Amino acid sequence: MNRETRFWTVMFLGGCLFLAFQSLGTARGVGQQFVVRVDATTGKIIPPATGASDASSAVKTVIYEPASKDDPEAIWSFSRTAGIWIAALLTLCIFSYLYRDNVCYKLAESIIVGVSAGYWIVTNFWEVLVAKVLVKLAPNVARYSFLPDTPVDVKADYLYIVPVVLGCMVFCRLIPKIAWMGRWPLAFVVGTTAGLKLTSFLDADFVRQVRSTILPLVVFSANASDVSTLDWKQSIQNIVIVISVLSCVTYFYFSVEHKGLVGRISRVGIWVLMISFGASFALTVMGRITLLTMRLQFLFDDWLGLVRI
Amino acid sequence: MSKTVPVLIASIVGCIMIVANFSPFLLPARQIAEDWFTIVATIAMMLGGANLCVHHLKNISDREAGWGFSAVTLISFFITIAVGLLKIGVVPESEQQVKFAWSGPFQQEGSGFWWIYQYLFSPIVSTMFALLAFYVASAAFRAFRAKNLEAILLLITALIVLVGQTRDREITSLFLPPPAEGMPQHVPIADLTEFIRKTFVTAGQRAIMIGIALGVVATSLRILLGLDRSYLGGDE
């Protein structure tokens, strides 16, 4: 056993001993989760079952809501406790990448690839294929199976067979002889996106941005006695915005060589962009640190229960 | 033929989308096309799932390096799909819906799919993003050198905005002595951050957005006019 293996073995055993102590030696335990049983139809809390004749066994639609351990009606939840443990171990697996690429990290990575693919397929199945396609093509089937709130007077709209057929044509790409048919749905998606984005980008990201840049360079504001005075703060702000946008746009204008006056203006544009990137970098770092803090809070509070408030 | 029809489809649908923006008579057509787009894109996502399965099954059958991880991916994929589609742990939410066993929302709290999101999906994704904090800091430490004016501007702005967002954002200056009697006070870091955000960041982002918008418009027009056919791939 080399020195490195010995170090990590000692660390692992130390961690296990600490977890064992926390689990058995403290009142809060490690990752213990408690819930109350609630009747989904009435919203009333169901007291913990006391025997076979208990009235709560007659309730068919029970949901579980998180509760404090001290709540007299709270019961220990195996699934949520196991969930906290699994989430904590997976978090540590991901953090282990900071040391180097290893089996634990790859395991967590493989899990997330499978889970995220499955997650989006399931979400789209219920939100699009059932909520849009099934409701449009067979509203009665939708009402009697998954969506009882579907209005009774909804008529079937068989025009929606077209996108289903188009969608199924995507799978033609898997058969080389008819792979060319797979281009039709792709063309539909690309055409729709191009048409939608052309107008929306032109409106939101071009016209509105240009309009927002056309600002008064000298701003006067009325004070309490209704006398208008120079609002130098707002004026400076507007001047800086207008000059900055114009210089940045000049920098992005490549049809003219950046020499002389154009070169000097585009240089100011680079400075503005650098300041903008510096601020964006700082905001990104802060966002990531906030996420990191939340993960550490999860580990030390939700899982280990070390945080005392 | 194999490329003409798709180009026609893209042009016609795209033009309907554009004209509908200006004509109220075509608004229902636009709404229908948007719905169709969502449906086609959703079914295309299923193709993505099928590709994932084929790729990882091939890895397993060829016993390629790391095939065990492919098995883990497939198992987690199928478990997620089964739990989500079968609505395991979902219960009807109202008195009227009790007789419809599958009527509850698939993401209901306490259900199997909720559990997968809450304890697998969410922690791993947020930890992966949190991990970037270390790499961004490490990359910044290695790459940020105040070599020229541009780099100095970037560094100073980053420092000001970072400090401006901490709990000490109300401090008046960075290690500067208090101003002399009768002199104006130092600008608080929080105010400076706000000024940078409102002016330089807005201006920089605005210029980039204008550039992106022009790029998107040009690309969209090339697609609608059939000049850009790269999305159709090579000859098959």
Side-chain angles (χ1 to χ4, degrees):
Chain A
M1 193 185 280
N2 62 24
R3 198 175 162 188
E4 189 184 341
T5 316
R6 229 179 304 150
F7 173 77
W8 286 112
T9 309
V10 170
M11 289 292 283
F12 181 74
L13 288 174
C16 289
L17 278 173
F18 172 74
L19 281 178
F21 170 75
Q22 274 293 112
S23 301
L24 304 170
T26 58
R28 194 171 166 181
V30 176
Q32 302 297 313
Q33 296 292 303
F34 293 84
V35 290
V36 285
R37 303 171 78 217
V38 177
D39 186 341
T41 56
T42 59
K44 286 180 182 168
I45 293 176
I46 307 164
T50 49
S53 59
D54 192 83
S56 67
S57 59
V59 181
K60 284 181 183 171
T61 55
V62 179
I63 55 172
Y64 297 88
E65 287 182 358
S68 158
K69 187 183 179 182
D70 306 325
D71 194 326
E73 279 155 344
I75 52 172
W76 182 70
S77 168
F78 170 74
S79 67
R80 291 183 194 224
T81 304
I84 290 282
W85 272 83
I86 289 169
L89 294 176
L90 286 173
T91 302
L92 292 177
C93 285
I94 298 289
F95 277 138
S96 72
Y97 189 75
L98 287 171
Y99 173 58
R100 67 177 173 207
D101 200 4
N102 61 75
V103 177
C104 295
Y105 175 78
K106 281 182 179 161
L107 184 75
E109 192 184 41
S110 306
I111 290 172
I112 194 61
V113 170
V115 167
S116 57
Y119 178 83
W120 291 114
I121 285 178
V122 169
T123 304
N124 279 300
F125 175 83
W126 289 112
E127 288 183 352
V128 178
L129 294 185
V130 171
K132 286 194 170 158
V133 180
L134 190 68
V135 168
K136 292 283 183 186
L137 293 177
N140 289 331
V141 175
R143 187 165 41 253
Y144 289 116
S145 52
F146 310 114
L147 303 165
D149 294 332
T150 308
V152 185
D153 55 342
V154 172
K155 296 262 170 27
D157 184 357
Y158 294 112
L159 202 65
Y160 274 74
I161 288 175
V162 179
V164 175
V165 173
L166 262 180
C168 292
M169 281 166 72
V170 169
F171 290 92
C172 292
R173 294 186 81 84
L174 298 174
I175 308 161
K177 272 190 177 178
I178 51 167
W180 58 273
M181 286 174 72
R183 289 170 177 166
W184 293 17
L186 189 66
F188 181 81
V189 170
V190 171
T192 316
T193 312
L196 284 173
K197 297 292 173 194
L198 192 144
T199 47
S200 62
F201 268 79
L202 209 54
D203 180 33
D205 286 10
F206 185 75
V207 176
R208 283 191 204 180
Q209 296 304 326
V210 172
R211 195 181 293 159
S212 309
T213 311
I214 302 170
L215 297 164
L217 300 182
V218 181
V219 182
F220 287 95
S221 58
N223 58 16
S225 52
D226 220 21
V227 179
S228 64
T229 52
L230 175 70
D231 188 345
W232 60 271
K233 218 172 174 181
Q234 190 61 46
S235 301
I236 290 174
Q237 196 171 303
N238 288 0
I239 290 168
V240 172
I241 287 179
V242 172
I243 291 173
S244 301
V245 173
L246 288 177
S247 55
C248 285
V249 170
T250 309
Y251 171 68
F252 286 129
Y253 187 62
F254 299 115
S255 300
V256 175
E257 204 176 346
H258 289 188
K259 271 181 174 177
L261 182 66
V262 177
R264 279 196 288 276
I265 295 173
S266 69
R267 190 156 171 76
V268 176
I270 296 175
W271 296 341
V272 173
L273 284 172
M274 283 299 149
I275 294 173
S276 175
F277 293 151
S280 302
F281 169 78
L283 291 171
T284 309
V285 169
M286 289 306 281
R288 301 294 180 223
I289 287 175
T290 308
L291 265 179
L292 180 66
T293 315
M294 285 163 70
R295 293 321 298 161
L296 295 178
Q297 195 178 3
F298 166 77
L299 286 177
F300 290 110
D301 189 14
D302 297 353
W303 184 43
L304 294 175
L306 293 176
V307 180
R308 301 274 179 269
I309 299 168
Chain B
M1 174 68 180
S2 67
K3 284 197 174 179
T4 312
V5 177
V7 168
L8 274 176
I9 293 174
S11 298
I12 293 168
V13 175
C15 289
I16 291 174
M17 293 287 116
I18 294 168
V19 176
N21 203 48
F22 303 100
S23 161
F25 302 109
L26 278 172
L27 269 182
R30 183 187 166 111
Q31 184 59 47
I32 289 172
E34 280 180 21
D35 276 358
W36 287 17
F37 168 80
T38 316
I39 293 164
V40 174
T42 299
I43 299 175
M45 188 179 269
M46 307 292 164
L47 178 71
N51 270 334
L52 181 91
C53 293
V54 170
H55 174 76
H56 286 287
L57 282 172
K58 193 172 176 302
N59 275 358
I60 294 168
S61 70
D62 292 351
R63 289 285 193 276
E64 281 189 15
W67 64 271
F69 296 115
S70 290
V72 172
T73 301
L74 280 182
I75 291 168
S76 52
F77 176 68
F78 285 119
I79 288 177
T80 309
I81 287 198
V83 168
L85 294 187
L86 297 175
K87 285 192 175 180
I88 291 173
V90 174
V91 292
E93 282 195 329
S94 66
E95 199 73 62
Q96 296 79 23
Q97 296 178 356
V98 170
K99 53 187 175 184
F100 302 102
W102 283 30
S103 63
F106 69 99
Q107 287 172 314
Q108 187 179 63
E109 187 178 339
S111 68
F113 197 64
W114 171 86
W115 191 93
I116 286 174
Y117 177 81
Q118 193 73 14
Y119 298 119
L120 293 180
F121 187 85
S122 174
I124 297 181
V125 171
S126 49
T127 311
M128 278 184 165
F129 278 106
L131 210 58
L132 287 178
F134 292 100
Y135 291 107
V136 168
S138 149
F141 180 72
R142 275 185 257 171
F144 278 10
R145 294 282 182 270
K147 288 181 287 194
N148 49 34
L149 180 62
E150 286 83 5
I152 292 169
L153 281 174
L154 195 141
L155 269 173
I156 291 175
T157 315
L159 185 70
I160 290 171
V161 176
L162 270 174
V163 175
Q165 290 190 81
T166 58
R167 62 191 292 273
D168 295 326
R169 61 185 175 279
E170 295 305 328
I171 58 176
T172 53
S173 66
L174 285 172
F175 314 116
L176 291 176
E181 195 78 27
M183 295 299 285
Q185 292 291 312
H186 295 310
V187 179
I189 295 290
D191 289 0
L192 203 54
T193 304
E194 195 60 17
F195 178 74
I196 289 171
R197 218 172 50 77
K198 277 187 179 167
T199 54
F200 294 110
V201 176
T202 307
Q205 300 292 333
R206 195 167 278 172
I208 292 170
M209 280 163 83
I210 289 171
I212 290 173
L214 290 174
V216 168
V217 170
T219 310
S220 300
L221 276 177
R222 283 175 61 80
I223 289 170
L224 298 183
L225 296 173
L227 297 172
D228 186 348
R229 301 179 180 199
S230 56
Y231 64 94
L232 297 173
D235 287 325
E236 283 167 3

